[in-house]
Amino acid sequence: LCRSRREGEEDHSRRIKTELLKQMEPGAHQSGGTRTFIIAATNVPWELDKAFLRRFQKRIFLSVPNREARAQIFRAKLASCHHTLTEADFQELAAACEGWSGSDISVVTTDAMLEPIRELQETRRWQIRCHAKSDGGDTLGLSGPQPQQQQQQQ
């Protein structure tokens, strides 16, 4: 809505922007001592209309996280699940994600955590295996076909 105005822009879009700009004018609707506080956010600040930018007295730019912050985001997202990642692995992940936002890291981490579920959904045949416990008893476990068996089935 607040992007820079362009030549081919629809008339109704221009009217909405003009009305919004009028409403944002200082003193436009301050009868009775009421004040309006506006908080806005964007992922593309370079595309904002200059007229809108002038109406905001304070502008705070939040950059993407640095390497250590990215590593900490990975640690926090993976804290609730079992993993075998070392500190070196977290640092390598952080380095590989240069320029990524915290949201990007969150999405890719959630996607990675769901990968075992996707593999289970794709398994067509289950095998029941008997595993010997160290105390002499047996336990039953379910497992999907081994990769070689999956290739043979296809």
Side-chain angles (χ1 to χ4, degrees), residues 71-142:
Q72 184 58 37
I73 294 169
F74 277 113
R75 281 188 219 99
K77 287 293 288 180
L78 295 171
S80 64
C81 69
H82 176 72
H83 62 81
T84 58
L85 296 174
T86 64
E87 182 56 33
D89 294 331
F90 283 117
Q91 293 301 322
E92 186 177 340
L93 284 168
C97 297
E98 181 74 31
W100 289 27
S101 70
S103 178
D104 295 335
I105 295 170
S106 179
V107 167
V108 78
T109 305
T110 301
D111 194 45
M113 289 189 296
L114 291 174
E115 188 60 28
I117 304 299
R118 285 188 207 96
E119 289 176 8
L120 288 174
Q121 288 175 330
E122 293 173 4
T123 301
R124 296 204 179 359
R125 190 175 122 229
W126 292 88
Q127 297 176 350
I128 299 177
R129 295 187 179 174
C130 186
H131 301 282
K133 288 173 43 177
S134 59
D135 63 1
D138 290 339
T139 62
L140 289 178
L142 289 176

Side-chain angles (χ1 to χ4, degrees), residues 42-57:
T42 181
N43 291 336
V44 286
W46 51 88
E47 289 188 13
L48 290 177
D49 191 291
K50 301 296 183 215
F52 280 103
L53 282 175
R54 283 193 301 270
R55 278 147 175 98
F56 291 100
Q57 295 174 356

